[in-house]
Amino acid sequence: MNIGEAARASGVSAKMIRYYEETGLIRPAARTAAGYRTYGERDAHELRFIRRARDLGFPVTEIAELLALWRDRSRKSADVKRLAAERAAEFRRKIAALEAMTTTLEHLSARCAGDDRPDCPILEELTGGDADGAWAPPDARGQ
């Protein structure tokens, strides 16, 4: 199959297939006499593997590790589990950080009157509690 067919079969764009080949994530494709890339079902299967790993949030470096483990029939499932657990823990840290930011923004929004007055607790927080302090932003003329 050509690169377009491999892209359709795997759900990975032709551009990304070329990138994965260029970076060594996948083996270089076979070439026709005219220089066109050709792919087999095994290549499409590897590309689907990569797409699913990307969908689960694995970065390319970890996908390379996962591919190596997948290809290694003497692998230890503990190594695969470790990568998945580390990725899940990273997501938990990011979720906690996003929840903290959401709570802060909701709290600040609730304190802001949202009217025609200039005082704003949101801006005070962003400036470290010094919204009316010594430093002031430039006026509308940039001065």
Side-chain angles (χ1 to χ4, degrees):
M1 70 183 85
N2 66 31
I3 195 166
E5 293 165 333
R8 281 188 292 282
S10 66
V12 176
S13 72
K15 181 179 180 179
M16 289 306 295
I17 292 172
R18 286 189 290 273
Y19 170 75
Y20 294 151
E21 184 179 328
E22 181 182 305
T23 60
L25 187 60
I26 61 172
R27 291 178 290 278
R31 299 280 184 151
T32 66
Y36 293 105
R37 290 174 171 89
T38 60
Y39 299 90
E41 186 53 41
R42 177 185 170 137
D43 299 312
H45 191 69
E46 283 190 7
L47 290 166
R48 283 190 294 272
F49 180 99
I50 292 168
R51 180 185 45 87
R52 286 192 298 265
R54 290 301 304 252
D55 289 347
L56 289 173
F58 285 99
V60 173
T61 54
E62 289 179 12
I63 293 172
E65 287 182 66
L66 288 167
L67 275 170
L69 288 165
W70 178 53
R71 291 173 183 144
D72 180 4
R73 295 293 178 200
S74 64
R75 69 182 168 260
K76 296 176 185 172
S77 65
D79 294 333
V80 180
K81 182 177 181 175
R82 176 187 49 80
L83 287 171
E86 287 172 358
R87 181 72 11 228
E90 178 62 25
F91 288 151
R92 291 277 176 222
R93 285 189 290 277
K94 287 181 179 184
I95 289 168
L98 288 169
E99 286 176 344
M101 287 186 276
T102 300
T103 299
T104 299
L105 288 171
E106 288 171 345
H107 175 73
L108 290 171
S109 293
R111 289 183 42 220
C112 182
D115 56 19
D116 293 336
R117 296 178 304 175
D119 52 313
C120 179
I122 299 168
L123 295 177
E124 288 175 23
E125 173 68 23
L126 293 174
T127 58
D130 192 23
D132 293 329
W135 184 88
D139 63 19
R141 296 183 311 259
Q143 301 176 356

